[in-house]
Amino acid sequence: MSQNHKDGMFYAPTSEYQSQIVCAPGQFQIAVAALDHGHIYGMCEGLVQAGASVKWVYDPDPLKVEQFRKQFPEVAIAPTLEHILQDDDIVLVAAAAIPADRGPLGIQIMQAGKDYFTDKAPFTTLDQLTQARLEAERSGRKYMVYYSERLHVESAVYAEQLIGQGAIGRVIQVIGTGPHRLQASKRPDWFFQRERYGGILCDIGSHQIEQFLTFTGSTDASIQHSRVANFHHPQYPELEDFGEISLLGDSGASGYMRVDWFTPEGLSTWGDGRTTILGTDGYIELRKYVDIARDSTGDHVYLVNHEGEYHFDVKGKVGYPFFGQLILDVLERTERAMTQEHAFKAAELCLLSQQQAWNQKEPLQGFTSSPVVNRLS
């Protein structure tokens, strides 16, 4: 599937950077189950470019399976999920189920002795997270999460490298914005059902919290403030079209994140995602998907430190090391790509932020008074 720059639901980036093949042909065979979200294409493409082979696909909807096989024609159709789980050749199952189903599916896969790679958000309730923690510890299997706005964005990969090199000193604050285009007519019913998608902070807010932990080196954080609202879509009463979070990490760094469904139609891509990282010796700004009114391509990194001002266009120059690292982690039982605790902690903070927002006394409808319009005389 070619990437649709207007629709973030099918975000599946490619890079001209030559991915390193980390395993022998046929050594890392995976299966795919649950095609409810288009992120499954990016998840699988990243793994295939690093050497994985997709052996099976399963979904109860034959139209979804047919569409998937257009992108991966070599894959065989599994008659049932159990057929996949009984195949000893399969080492990992990738899935992009409806968010409320991702936790239970992951437990079933881990119980079958397979590692699990799920789209974000990995859970919609704290109970699901608790059960997954217990099963991952009991079975020793991996429950990995596709936090694509860091893992599959070259500018974010490069920012992590710059931070690691000390380019801006110690990180003090991260500000992340994650606007998305709604395209309501193209969304499935579950997208508008809060119990099934989990809320905006749980869903697209998960990207921002995971990046905060990574860029600040925090292993935990406290939620200072969180809020959700429906400002402009009363026809979808369970949709949250705006959310914000303020965090304080155990590293001492703070963070503010805003997510929304207000990308205007005039923007050339699905969302003008940006991240600003302030350090003791400089700052970094990421313009991930577009540099508005200047360059329709993304992956622009702006760096200012004591040495000067810099602009790096890193599209096609950095690649996506996460996928090769994940393959090696599965084969060698290491944690190069992401620790299990990091994946779970990001999910936990999303769920706690969402719950705190729902517990607020102020109304969720957004505006509480008529707009003030200043007219020229």
Side-chain angles (χ1 to χ4, degrees):
M1 173 175 288
S2 60
Q3 185 182 349
N4 183 347
H5 292 277
K6 287 280 188 175
D7 188 353
M9 191 168 184
F10 290 94
Y11 178 71
T14 58
S15 173
E16 296 179 4
Y17 183 87
Q18 183 61 48
S19 298
Q20 180 182 1
I21 304 298
V22 300
C23 58
Q27 182 184 9
F28 193 84
Q29 297 189 54
I30 69 171
V32 176
L35 306 175
D36 295 288
H37 199 293
H39 282 173
I40 193 66
Y41 291 92
M43 296 163 65
C44 292
E45 189 62 38
L47 288 170
V48 168
Q49 289 177 358
S53 303
V54 185
K55 183 176 182 180
W56 297 108
V57 61
Y58 171 73
D59 191 278
D61 184 344
L63 294 179
K64 289 189 177 77
V65 172
E66 180 181 351
Q67 184 65 40
F68 185 83
R69 294 187 75 243
K70 290 179 181 179
Q71 180 74 10
F72 300 96
E74 72 283 359
V75 68
I77 301 173
T80 63
L81 175 63
E82 192 61 32
H83 186 86
I84 289 172
L85 299 183
Q86 291 178 354
D87 187 340
D88 292 338
D89 290 337
I90 299 301
V91 294
L92 177 143
V93 179
I98 295 170
D101 298 334
R102 291 171 186 170
L105 177 60
I107 290 173
Q108 185 179 0
I109 289 169
M110 289 189 293
Q111 287 175 339
K114 315 292 186 187
D115 290 322
Y116 180 51
F117 182 35
T118 179
D119 188 20
K120 64 77 214 161
F123 311 102
T124 55
T125 71
L126 287 167
D127 181 66
Q128 289 179 352
L129 170 59
T130 298
Q131 296 304 313
R133 282 186 187 272
L134 291 172
E135 182 55 36
E137 183 175 357
R138 184 204 67 80
S139 65
R141 309 317 301 178
K142 295 183 181 295
Y143 193 115
M144 287 292 101
V145 184
Y146 181 59
Y147 293 114
S148 59
E149 291 190 24
R150 180 178 67 86
L151 305 176
H152 226 161
V153 174
E154 286 178 287
S155 56
V157 173
Y158 192 60
E160 185 178 1
Q161 294 173 0
L162 288 173
I163 293 168
Q165 294 163 9
I168 60 170
R170 188 168 181 180
V171 174
I172 298 170
Q173 185 194 49
V174 174
I175 300 175
T177 55
H180 285 59
R181 177 171 282 124
L182 182 59
Q183 295 189 304
S185 63
K186 297 182 179 181
R187 300 289 178 174
D189 291 343
W190 59 260
F191 181 87
F192 302 100
Q193 298 166 1
R194 186 174 295 147
E195 185 174 332
R196 302 184 80 194
Y197 80 89
I200 192 171
L201 301 181
C202 175
D203 181 19
I204 56 177
S206 62
H207 293 296
Q208 303 301 324
I209 289 180
E210 192 278 332
Q211 288 173 91
F212 168 79
L213 293 175
T214 298
F215 293 146
T216 64
S218 297
T219 59
D220 201 353
S222 59
I223 302 154
Q224 306 298 296
H225 167 79
S226 64
R227 178 194 182 206
V228 298
N230 185 330
F231 277 100
H232 195 59
H233 300 89
Q235 69 273 40
Y236 304 113
E238 295 190 23
L239 174 69
E240 296 161 4
D241 57 23
F242 176 88
E244 60 184 354
I245 313 165
S246 177
L247 297 173
L248 180 62
D250 60 2
S251 66
S254 63
Y256 173 79
M257 296 93 201
R258 189 204 81 219
V259 288
D260 65 75
W261 293 101
F262 287 112
T263 292
E265 289 304 314
L267 190 71
S268 59
T269 188
W270 54 269
D272 182 13
R274 299 194 186 197
T275 305
T276 302
I277 308 163
L278 174 65
T280 54
D281 296 308
Y283 60 91
I284 295 168
E285 182 184 346
L286 309 181
R287 301 182 188 179
K288 294 181 176 179
Y289 312 114
V290 64
D291 195 352
I292 56 170
R294 289 167 53 90
D295 190 338
S296 61
T297 64
D299 288 310
H300 294 273
V301 178
Y302 292 88
L303 166 67
V304 181
N305 59 17
H306 297 307
E307 281 70 52
E309 305 170 1
Y310 305 93
H311 168 235
F312 305 99
D313 179 356
V314 298
K315 190 170 187 63
K317 302 173 184 176
V318 178
Y320 313 111
F322 168 82
F323 299 95
Q325 292 168 352
L326 177 58
I327 289 174
L328 293 175
D329 285 344
V330 170
L331 294 176
E332 300 174 5
R333 313 317 294 172
T334 52
E335 290 191 319
R336 297 176 178 86
M338 180 187 299
T339 68
Q340 186 62 76
E341 181 53 32
H342 177 89
F344 282 154
K345 179 56 67 174
E348 177 187 332
L349 292 171
C350 295
L351 294 166
L352 291 173
S353 297
Q354 187 71 58
Q355 191 61 56
Q356 180 171 309
W358 284 341
N359 290 340
Q360 297 293 330
K361 293 182 179 180
E362 59 259 28
L364 299 179
Q365 72 268 26
F367 296 115
T368 57
S369 62
S370 299
V372 175
V373 180
N374 295 316
R375 303 184 185 279
L376 295 176
S377 58

